[in-house]
Amino acid sequence: MTTTPRPVPQHDLLRRPAPDRLPAARPPTGAGTAAAADLAQVLVRMRALAAALPAEDGVAVFNGVYLAVTEEVAERIGDGTFQDPSAAGELDRCFARRYFAAVDAATAGLRPPACWRPLFQLRRHPGVRPLQFALAGINAHIGHDLALAVLDTCRVLECEPDALASDFERVGGVLTSLEERIRERLMPGPDVLEVADPLTHLIGSWSLDKARDAAWVAARALWGVRGLPEVAEELTERLDAGVGLVGRMLLTPLPG
């Protein structure tokens, strides 16, 4: 008797595999030093932006957060944290290039991706607090850029997204470990913890972990339709617009 195979549910197709079951994208031997050297160039650009922008500029606030994250990743590239340092370094470089492209577009008077526009438009608004600027930048970079950076990395390394899953998780772990420090550093004071403070409600409506999970799902979905350019383009545009809408909400000017 022949049994018809049961179709795999869509959510299983998009689920992240367990990190301990994933192969490395490429052999890690000797890759840590080269990856760290490449990330050093990313850090140079971020530090140049930090020196050029006024401290109160919303883009400068995000840049400071992103610089801290990238410094942490660079330190861990060569210490065995990542399963494949070369792949992790490439992912981080592709990730950073998306941010730099948005900065360059805004500097040239062009329109950056929709996910970044709220931050660039409201970067000097007196009613937006530093923590809002930081979260809006993280939202744009994680929610949109990270998904596309996974695809960029897969094309460079000629691998499937699953080969990056383990180090994707480890990079995410760095982000999560820094999130609490970011919130503590940018909180305006102890009164913000009061239930009545609007910032408490605003920051509670967004989750880095959920944004990271959504980025992985988006990357897998876009990779799955890479042979259908029109579908892939529409999905990318919808992702960009949706993340931009969330960013605009995070930058709602607040009293006080």
Side-chain angles (χ1 to χ4, degrees), residues 2-216:
T2 303
T3 303
T4 303
R6 195 171 54 177
V8 179
Q10 185 68 14
H11 66 270
D12 285 345
L13 293 174
L14 300 179
R15 185 178 55 203
R16 277 178 285 172
D20 59 358
R21 298 173 58 189
L22 292 168
R26 289 190 174 181
T29 305
T33 301
D38 289 337
L39 277 184
Q41 298 304 310
V42 171
L43 291 170
V44 167
R45 176 77 195 276
M46 288 183 183
R47 288 169 182 150
L49 285 171
L53 295 172
E56 66 276 10
D57 187 300
V59 177
V61 174
F62 167 72
N63 188 79
V65 169
Y66 192 20
L67 174 59
V69 171
T70 306
E71 287 173 337
E72 185 91 6
V73 171
E75 288 178 4
R76 297 189 186 188
I77 283 288
D79 69 2
T81 295
F82 296 104
Q83 180 175 324
D84 184 342
S86 178
E90 185 62 42
L91 175 59
D92 208 61
R93 286 193 300 277
C94 290
F95 194 26
R97 281 197 289 267
R98 293 277 172 180
Y99 164 56
F100 295 148
V103 170
D104 291 342
T107 301
L110 304 175
R111 283 165 64 87
C115 61
W116 284 106
R117 283 176 213 155
L119 179 59
F120 286 106
Q121 290 168 351
L122 297 170
R123 62 195 293 178
R124 298 180 182 88
H125 196 296
V128 179
R129 302 184 194 179
L131 182 57
Q132 293 175 262
F133 287 131
L135 293 183
I138 294 170
N139 170 68
H141 205 37
I142 299 291
H144 173 265
D145 293 356
L146 183 55
L148 300 187
V150 169
L151 302 186
D152 294 340
T153 305
C154 287
R155 294 185 186 105
V156 171
L157 300 182
E158 298 180 347
C159 68
E160 297 282 328
D162 283 358
L164 303 176
S166 179
D167 287 331
F168 181 97
E169 285 294 302
R170 288 173 171 84
V171 170
V174 174
L175 292 168
T176 301
S177 70
L178 291 175
E179 182 182 19
E180 190 60 34
R181 277 185 274 167
I182 291 166
R183 289 176 185 253
E184 289 176 358
R185 182 164 64 89
L186 296 178
M187 283 287 191
D191 291 344
V192 77
L193 298 178
E194 295 180 1
V195 174
D197 193 302
L199 184 58
T200 302
H201 295 279
L202 194 63
I203 65 174
S205 67
W206 187 85
S207 163
L208 188 150
D209 282 340
K210 287 184 172 57
R212 185 164 53 93
D213 289 345
W216 181 255

Side-chain angles (χ1 to χ4, degrees), residues 222-241:
L222 287 168
W223 184 258
V225 298
R226 64 192 183 282
L228 302 170
E230 291 183 2
V231 175
E233 182 179 1
E234 183 174 355
L235 284 176
T236 302
E237 289 176 356
R238 299 292 182 183
L239 175 66
D240 189 21

